[in-house]
Amino acid sequence: EFRGNTIETSNEYGIRFTGSISQSGILTRDTMPYIAENIYQDASSVLTIEPGVIFKTGAGSYPQITFAGSVHANGTADEPIVFTAFSDDAAGGDTNNNATSTVPMPGAWYTLTFSSSSIAEFSHVRVRYGGGPRSSVPTTWTMLDAQSPTLLTFNNVEISDSAANGF
């Protein structure tokens, strides 16, 4: 659990988050966004994402977030959960600490993947600027990739600014 953090001098304004999620837990809304880089949630874990949490991705080589366990991402109309590009200053502020030198572009990051073992409940979630190619595959992808027989429940999910169409 991360709460009440501050950063005084850094090239990034956020909490870098990478690797495997092997235990159940809650991602809390903090004063800064999570900088997500190639995250994999194990099938045995349950992840709860609180309203207002912001994930920024794309600072590296087209990262993705893979959900294999249960994930409950239930934002609210006033505090949606956001998955967006590292350079998207409209969500969570200037994370890359470069003012207006960079702007978000469609395809800035790869995808949210739901593996065949995942159970996902998403409400009031915004997914922006994804659909980019994997580093070894020069094509665009959808921002959400669900592998059968995934159980997904989506309500009030907004997908925008993707490099590709579809789900």
Side-chain angles (χ1 to χ4, degrees):
E1 184 174 310
F2 301 100
R3 290 196 189 272
N5 296 289
T6 59
I7 294 178
E8 296 198 17
T9 305
S10 178
N11 291 334
E12 297 175 342
Y13 178 75
I15 299 169
R16 184 160 290 280
F17 188 11
T18 187
S20 293
I21 300 171
S22 59
Q23 297 181 358
S24 297
I26 299 172
L27 287 178
T28 61
R29 180 179 181 187
D30 201 322
T31 57
M32 62 192 75
Y34 293 97
I35 302 169
E37 187 101 15
N38 295 321
I39 296 171
Y40 178 83
Q41 177 203 16
D42 291 344
S44 62
S45 69
V46 177
L47 179 63
T48 301
I49 303 171
E50 289 187 341
V53 168
I54 298 170
F55 290 91
K56 290 196 171 186
T57 61
S61 59
Y62 294 103
Q64 69 181 18
I65 300 172
T66 301
F67 300 107
S70 294
V71 60
H72 305 282
N74 294 304
T76 67
D78 292 332
E79 290 186 298
I81 295 166
V82 179
F83 295 88
T84 191
F86 185 67
S87 57
D88 184 0
D89 294 350
D94 186 15
T95 307
N96 55 2
N97 201 19
N98 68 355
T100 58
S101 296
T102 57
V103 294
M105 300 291 290
W109 58 283
Y110 177 43
T111 187
L112 295 179
T113 300
F114 300 90
S115 74
S116 60
S117 61
S118 67
I119 299 171
E121 177 184 277
F122 275 44
S123 64
H124 295 283
V125 174
R126 296 180 184 156
V127 185
R128 305 192 299 227
Y129 299 109
R134 288 185 261 179
S135 55
S136 61
V137 181
T139 186
T140 56
W141 295 80
T142 59
M143 284 200 291
L144 301 173
D145 178 14
Q147 302 167 2
S148 183
T150 301
L151 177 59
L152 302 177
T153 303
F154 281 14
N155 292 302
N156 296 303
V157 174
E158 177 185 304
I159 301 168
S160 64
D161 301 300
S162 176
N165 298 319
F167 171 55

